[in-house]
Amino acid sequence: MPKADILVVIPAYNEEANIVAVVQNLIENYPQYDYVVVNDGSRDHTAELCREHHYNLLDLPVNLGLSGAFQTGLRYAYRMGYARAIQLDADGQHLPQYIEPISQEMDKGADIVIGSRFITKKKPINLRMFGSFIISFAIRFTTHRALTDPTSGMRMLNREMIAEFSHNLNYAPEPDTISYLISRGAKVAEVQVEMGERTAGKSYLNMRAALRYMAQMCTSIFLIQWVRKRETEEVQPYV
Amino acid sequence: MYNLSPALMVILIAGSISTMAYVLLRIRKEKMQIEDALFWLLFGALLIVLSLFPGLSIWAAHQLGVQSPVNFVYLFILFLLLVKLFLQSVKMSQLEEKIRRLSQTIALNEHTAEHHDDALGNAPQADEHK
């Protein structure tokens, strides 16, 4: 049985510059949570560093991308019987001090709680946030729910969602999945958080990737979600 | 007017026969599963039939009201390849999903093996079946 209720899933791809600081902070200052680092087939020393420090590590033999890596963490959470799992980026942008308020929000009965940067703060108007606006609009249009920060990666899932995310195809930890889940009745809440700047290394989100991401999200939210079969009605996951 | 040009016929015959020969050669070298080779065998055979009996496409073009028989040939091949492409896409998706599942399972099992004496690593309480 797990020591804690909450599992912190840390997907890491080529994060040798940040991973130790992020995990060390978690271990030293937040011992009430369990964590697992999912090394997503990194080509640098991420896995070696984790082994050296005896971190709890899931080491993927090949690079699966964020959704595959996060799903690995969720399968682990499911196997180990954790009640809740939260994604924490390995680049130091997600601050663990907000896990507590996010978890408290979940106590009120939400299936998914998103750490949002813009509940009490205004969204800055720049190119990056333009994408966020559009996705917010797409979700509002299709689900009539207003999400202030749909692209935030800091999301907590309850046990039911852990099962659903870990068993099914097309459950990337992305806004389109959130949109789909809202439309089929999942309760999604948001909590105000601050996010840090990435402390070292480089984000792979460049202009081209961002545009691609946007196009994919919008097509997915507007079109694909309508034709999607409700997978949970077919499978019997919550064993 | 309702005819295939001799040049096109020669190209079609040569193309279909060499496609067929290539497919047979590769299957003999066992670089391909029989199930996958079957499509290309049938496809090659179809091309040969179409090129040897232009009357077929002329007839079909006439029946469908396609202006020139050669357009019918294009349309027919295009349609077959489109269907094939779609099926390939489905298959690739499934393969990717399988690779993803397998990699995850490897990572999870490795973790269990590393921590087998650890209280945490013991006996996963519910395993997945999918």
Side-chain angles (χ1 to χ4, degrees):
Chain A
M1 278 302 285
K3 285 178 292 181
D5 276 347
I6 300 174
L7 177 73
V8 180
V9 178
I10 310 169
Y13 177 60
N14 291 348
E15 290 286 2
E16 60 181 9
N18 301 307
I19 189 73
V20 174
V22 168
V23 178
Q24 215 60 39
N25 175 32
L26 206 58
I27 293 175
E28 280 160 23
N29 303 320
Y30 303 92
Q32 67 270 41
Y33 310 126
D34 284 355
Y35 71 93
V36 65
V37 178
V38 185
N39 173 43
D40 188 14
S42 296
R43 309 293 289 262
D44 66 358
H45 300 293
T46 306
E48 283 90 328
L49 282 172
C50 290
R51 292 227 161 78
E52 231 168 75
H53 289 83
H54 301 289
Y55 293 159
N56 192 25
L57 172 71
L58 293 169
D59 195 10
L60 287 168
V62 292
N63 176 250
L64 295 181
L66 176 65
S67 78
F70 183 57
Q71 194 179 40
T72 314
L74 292 181
R75 281 181 65 181
Y76 177 80
Y78 183 77
R79 274 195 186 192
M80 296 303 203
Y82 285 97
R84 288 167 187 187
I86 184 167
Q87 179 185 334
L88 194 82
D89 282 357
D91 59 11
Q93 290 192 65
H94 296 164
L95 307 174
Q97 74 220 51
Y98 293 106
I99 298 176
E100 184 60 35
I102 288 176
S103 183
Q104 280 169 1
E105 183 66 34
M106 185 162 273
D107 291 339
K108 298 178 196 160
D111 297 306
I112 299 172
V113 182
I114 304 173
S116 163
R117 289 159 287 184
F118 315 115
I119 294 181
T120 54
K121 299 208 162 131
K122 231 173 114 56
K123 226 179 248 194
I125 298 181
N126 58 34
L127 205 57
R128 209 189 151 96
M129 282 309 126
F130 179 65
S132 178
F133 271 113
I134 291 182
I135 293 177
S136 282
F137 171 79
I139 293 181
R140 191 182 214 145
F141 185 83
T142 51
T143 66
H144 309 292
R145 265 296 313 273
L147 285 186
T148 55
D149 195 1
T151 57
S152 160
M154 202 177 186
R155 306 186 182 91
M156 183 177 278
L157 309 179
N158 67 5
R159 177 89 186 143
E160 220 168 273
M161 285 297 137
I162 291 174
E164 191 157 348
F165 271 73
S166 59
H167 286 294
N168 292 313
L169 178 69
N170 293 329
Y171 273 72
E174 300 292 356
D176 56 339
T177 309
I178 303 296
S179 159
Y180 165 71
L181 287 169
I182 293 176
S183 65
R184 33 149 302 228
K187 276 184 237 122
V188 177
E190 289 186 306
V191 167
Q192 176 69 39
V193 302
E194 295 279 324
M195 286 200 190
E197 287 302 311
R198 128 188 289 288
T199 36
K202 216 172 75 188
S203 164
Y204 53 90
L205 199 74
N206 56 32
M207 192 61 194
R208 246 180 89 185
L211 282 178
R212 228 190 108 135
Y213 176 82
M214 284 296 310
Q216 202 188 325
M217 279 307 133
C218 288
T219 337
S220 176
I221 292 173
F222 280 122
L223 300 175
I224 309 281
Q225 310 300 331
W226 296 101
V227 267
R228 256 177 102 160
K229 199 169 63 173
R230 296 181 167 186
E231 307 193 39
T232 40
E233 288 172 2
E234 306 294 318
V235 200
Q236 302 280 318
Y238 311 140
V239 195
Chain B
M1 196 190 149
Y2 267 48
N3 227 327
L4 293 174
S5 77
L8 184 69
M9 274 194 65
V10 171
I11 293 175
L12 270 179
I13 293 172
S16 55
I17 290 179
S18 47
T19 309
M20 194 66 157
Y22 182 70
V23 169
L24 285 172
L25 202 76
R26 289 304 289 263
I27 298 172
R28 267 171 63 86
K29 280 185 175 171
E30 290 180 278
K31 297 267 194 225
M32 209 180 189
Q33 291 185 51
I34 302 292
E35 292 89 335
D36 296 322
L38 210 62
F39 170 83
W40 294 107
L41 276 180
L42 290 176
F43 188 70
L46 193 87
L47 286 187
I48 292 179
V49 169
L50 276 181
S51 59
L52 287 181
F53 306 101
L56 278 175
S57 21
I58 294 169
W59 176 79
H62 187 71
Q63 292 296 310
L64 295 173
V66 179
Q67 282 220 334
S68 126
V70 72
N71 282 351
F72 171 78
V73 175
Y74 292 151
L75 187 72
F76 189 62
I77 293 177
L78 201 67
F79 173 72
L80 273 184
L81 291 182
L82 261 181
V83 171
K84 180 68 180 165
L85 185 65
F86 175 72
L87 293 179
Q88 291 282 53
S89 185
V90 169
K91 197 166 183 179
M92 205 164 83
S93 225
Q94 289 168 345
L95 283 176
E96 271 173 18
E97 157 78 352
K98 281 179 190 167
I99 291 177
R100 196 156 55 85
R101 291 278 161 198
L102 284 173
S103 318
Q104 292 176 344
T105 306
I106 289 174
L108 287 167
N109 289 351
E110 235 170 43
H111 181 276
T112 314
E114 277 167 23
H115 299 259
H116 61 95
D117 37 22
D118 201 297
L120 259 181
N122 270 337
Q125 36 162 244
D127 213 342
E128 288 135 79
H129 301 283
K130 212 215 144 178

